Amino acid sequence: MGLLKFAGGRVFDPEHGVDGVVQDIFVRDGRIVAAPGSDADIAQEIDCRGRIVMSGAIDMHTHIGGGKVNIARSMLPEDHRGDPLPRTPLTRSSCGYCAPGTLAAGYRYAEMGYTACFEPAVLPVNARQAHMEMGDTPIVDKGGYVMLGSDDFLLRMLAARQDQRAINDYVAWTINAAQAIGVKVVNPGGISAFKFNQRYLDLDEAHRYYQVTPRHILKVLAQAVHDLGVPHPLHVHASNLGLPGNVDTTLATMQAVEGLPLHLTHIQFHSYGAEGDRKFSSGAAQIAEAINANQNITADVGQIMFGQTVTASGDNMTQHRNSGLASPKKFVVMDIECDAGCGVVPFRYRDKNFVNALQWAIGLEIFLLVNDPWRIFLTTDHPNGAPFTSYPHLIKLLMDKSYRKAMLATINPDAAAMSTLGSIDREYSMYEIATMTRAAPARLLGLKDRGHLAPGAAADIVVYRDDKDVEEMFARPQYVFKDGKLVAQDGEIVAVSWGNTHVVRPEYDASIEKQLKPYFDLFHSMRLENFGISDDELCECGHGSKAMPHACRNGRVR
Amino acid sequence: MENVTCPFCGLACDDLQVDVAAGMPVPVANACATSREAYRRLAPVPGLTARVGGTPVLLDVAVARAAQILGHAINPLFGGFATDLSGARRIVQLADRCGAVIDHMNSTAKLRNLLTVQDAGWITATLAEVKNRADLVVLLGTDAVSRFPRFFERFVWNEESMFDLDPRSREIVYVGQGLDMRAGCAPDGRAPTSIPCRVDEIGEALGAMRSLLAGLAPQAQVVAGVPLPQWAELLEKLRNSSYGVIVWAAPDFDFPHAELTVQTLSALIKDLNRTTRVCGLPLGGSDGDFTANGVLMWQTGLPFRSSFATGIPVYEPHLNSTQRLLDSGEADALLWVSAFNPNRVPPRTELPTIVLAPPGANFEREPDVFIAVGTPGVDHAGHYTRTDKVVALPLRKLREIGLPSVEAVAASIEASLQQAAN
């Protein structure tokens, strides 16, 4: 492949401190290369003058594949009927607004300039299916965080007070078996507790059977992820999601890991006070203050947007508790393999509803009150807060205070009055948006060759028109390049590729399998030998997807 | 070979030992009667494996003829759809290109559950939850073992559980008629409870139990031919269980509007979960139905009985049934895929018909094109999604007798169509 020159664009590359500087970028064989000599033969020049250039965007928390997503799809034919994606000579047909088919999801992500997406809830036992669905998601790269913390094996290790080293081996074994890039814990211990008919599990409340607390689970898993050198900190869906007053739980969760790195996901759903006439208020200021003060904490927001969506979560306890709020009135809850669970509840967020309106304001408050764009991430927890296609609108809300205030004037007035949003004048800069959607997620996940534009990086490059309307700008970039190949232009797919799968491979003592083998034989419904996913299988499951291993902090790539 | 996954029912047991030394896979341990029979019928049939109009031809010739039929069809129907992950991916892609309707050979039964999921949802558990947690197992209209022979052996009468439960102490209740209840006897000889009633009246009984649970005693003293107190007693068992599981198999709910029975069951289970834990266990997944339909669902957003005729997927569960499209004459060609079982032949039709199935099928009417394909998990590797949908198991290649996969044949047909279009 010849040399490609992106000429004269205003480049935003926060990883290298480049803030809107006019620069040329050169690409060869899918990688960014140093500027060649003046006599170099340029095969193609992309005129970027007057354009904004960034690396491909990375969605670090989006439910795009795995059992619960497919349940959501199967539950919602009415959602799909309203949002068809016709077949073209180049692209396949698909459909779906809040729970789109994988084909629609991949095309739409690429059209918006996203080049990598991470599925945050890969159940170990469902990892094959998650990779199958991610594999059938075109163009973008993907990766998954494997879910632990309500699995019987870990909980019995904790109950038996097994030492941290043994737990680390089990966690590393699971990451390898599931071909994951991180570890997530969802309502620590709560998914299991629900199967024992517990309906709540607070941070220091003991699980009825194992007598283990969520705090203990968090501490041990955060330690394991840290000890193993996995770049991405433990990804935490905290206890008490959605409950008024849960801000205290969330603050206590931050402290529970005693300074270890921790990522709190969809933190908006965990930032609720219990004040006011309706016993529901914003805890955003406290949360933002805590994030600002604790360098070990990162968070993604899980912003809600008004309209129809579907909530799909591993948190069967919470989803069952909220099932009465389903709209339309249907829900699926599932207990899974003594390992995990899921719950799918369709939901419509209404701007005139006090609670929903305040949820919207709380999310924005968190975005605007957290100072460091390297530690707060732009997500809607697709599709739980809203479909990912609402990102351009969300970016506009962050970058344009007059637009934001105009929107605030249209929501439930009691909620607006309870929120400090109207008094916040901060506007995100282009550099900050590039940070939170590119550089920061790549750094947080340990993707050394993504999220930036220096030589050696993969040529995932997006060229935007410098539009006055940032929503329009981010919805339809002029050019999207994936690994050096033009895949989308002006919001249309122009070439279809299939991405690869980012993984980490922490080392472990293989003798952990000596414990696991008899355990599987006695209790499980499948053989240990059929549990792990080999590279060949990943390729087969993942539509030709190749594993792209990233180094753990001990420096080794396996 | 150890730890081999059996692809011949929805349980997808992955603990088989199969002797492959003689070039013919022979299960030597852990295979049930259904499985042994399925492996037996894999015996290679001599001669060419593709036919056009009944005449043996080379594969390329059959593929070209299949592409010609599909290329000329205006409203092709892709039925059967029994294949593995890779086969399903290719078939869905081909359907999109051809503007076809996709339906599955098991869809009439599957629809009873799917309509419930779309209308109301449900609360369910997977097999390892049942194995380790269920202290009460209620079987509605099914004995499980007729279709899923190792259900009790693997998931009910296991020796130990993860928790305090002694599996041998589980209580078993059968509701229905003509059920084989032998498997429900506990290892110590304790007999299961039986409530004999017609399967198409189970819905009434479930409704009565919902009513009782809500504190509204029905006026009828006999429901579904059974005295009301027996239903009240079953309800009490469910209410007092720590983790009750209610098992049904959609194919056994073979009566009109059975989806209403499933829906009432879903509602009863939801009601019970206000105070205790009770889960449904819908048994299915045979003939790769969760495997292939899973692919169709996640790629396109829609399930079986969807049409690609207008360039977008459109789901019409009643209009797009195989039988209706054949009976009404709306379809003008049929592609039938049955990769796991040569005996699942297409319904009788005069339409131009292409069949992809393992050798050995007996047709009432010879299809226009027959292409022998390998069985996933025997002739090639693959993936198979189990009854509870969560677990996809790897299928291994056990022999090589030169049979192509559904994936390969569908890809060749598509290439041939592409060539014709250029």
Side-chain angles (χ1 to χ4, degrees), chain A residues 15-16 30-32 55-56 58 115 118 141 181 438 442-443 445-461 482-483 500 502 548-551:
Chain A
E15 182 61 40
H16 301 100
R31 293 269 152 183
I32 294 174
S55 63
I58 298 169
T115 50
F118 292 85
D141 286 338
I181 194 169
R438 274 91 172 158
R443 201 189 269 184
L445 291 170
L447 311 176
K448 294 224 180 316
D449 63 345
R450 310 275 152 170
H452 68 91
L453 294 168
D460 295 351
I461 300 174
K482 177 80 186 76
D483 295 313
N500 291 312
H502 297 282
M548 304 184 51
H550 293 274

Side-chain angles (χ1 to χ4, degrees), chain B residues 51-53 57-72 352-354 368-371 413 416-417:
Chain B
R51 301 190 294 270
V52 169
V57 295
L58 291 172
L59 179 61
D60 290 355
V61 176
V63 163
R65 178 67 189 127
Q68 202 179 26
I69 290 172
L70 294 177
H72 285 126
T353 299
I354 304 153
D368 298 74
V369 179
F370 174 79
I371 299 174
I413 293 174
S416 182
L417 278 167

Side-chain angles (χ1 to χ4, degrees), chain A residues 70 73-75 77 80-81 84-87 92-95 101-104 125-126 128-129 132-133 136 152 156 194-197 199 209-210 320 329-340 519 521-527 529-530 537 540-543, chain B residues 3 5 14-15 85 89 92-93 96-97 117-129 131-133 154-155 160-164 243 270 273-277 279 294 297-302 308 311-313 315 382-383 386 388-394:
Chain A
N70 225 27
R73 293 186 190 104
S74 66
M75 283 172 74
H80 301 4
R81 198 167 287 136
L85 190 75
R87 178 182 171 79
R92 302 256 309 269
S93 70
S94 186
C95 65
T102 56
L103 298 169
V125 76
N126 187 238
R128 267 193 189 80
Q129 184 184 345
M132 290 171 188
E133 295 189 31
D136 278 351
D152 173 71
R156 66 173 59 206
F194 179 60
K195 299 173 189 176
F196 289 88
N197 206 23
R199 301 304 170 113
Y209 179 76
Y210 304 97
H320 183 261
K329 289 199 177 302
K330 51 184 169 185
F331 70 91
V332 166
V333 164
M334 207 168 168
D335 294 345
I336 297 174
E337 293 297 271
C338 303
D339 188 48
Y519 174 82
D521 285 349
L522 199 55
F523 298 131
H524 255 293
S525 65
M526 70 186 291
R527 290 289 170 130
E529 291 81 355
N530 289 324
E537 242 201 298
E540 196 187 318
C541 290
H543 208 127
Chain B
N3 308 311
T5 305
D14 70 335
D15 59 349
L85 168 75
R89 279 179 167 152
V92 176
Q93 183 168 321
D96 195 11
R97 166 182 284 273
V117 169
Q118 291 173 343
D119 283 345
W122 60 25
I123 299 174
T124 58
T126 64
L127 292 172
E129 299 287 359
K131 176 175 176 175
N132 290 291
R133 226 179 268 283
R154 292 189 62 209
F155 305 112
E160 267 186 71
S161 82
M162 287 176 184
F163 314 113
D164 296 334
Y243 199 91
K270 286 182 183 176
N273 275 283
R274 292 198 185 118
T275 57
T276 185
R277 294 305 322 277
C279 287
M297 176 68 74
W298 75 58
Q299 287 196 351
T300 72
L302 292 174
F308 295 89
I312 55 172
Y315 166 62
H383 286 90
R386 202 173 73 179
D388 46 23
K389 293 197 195 180
V390 171
V391 181
L393 289 147

Side-chain angles (χ1 to χ4, degrees), chain B residues 8 24 34 36-45 340-343 359-360:
Chain B
F8 299 116
M24 235 327 265
T34 305
R36 288 195 302 272
E37 170 57 27
Y39 280 103
R40 244 195 317 271
R41 72 177 178 238
L42 293 168
V45 178
F340 296 103
N341 186 350
N343 300 326

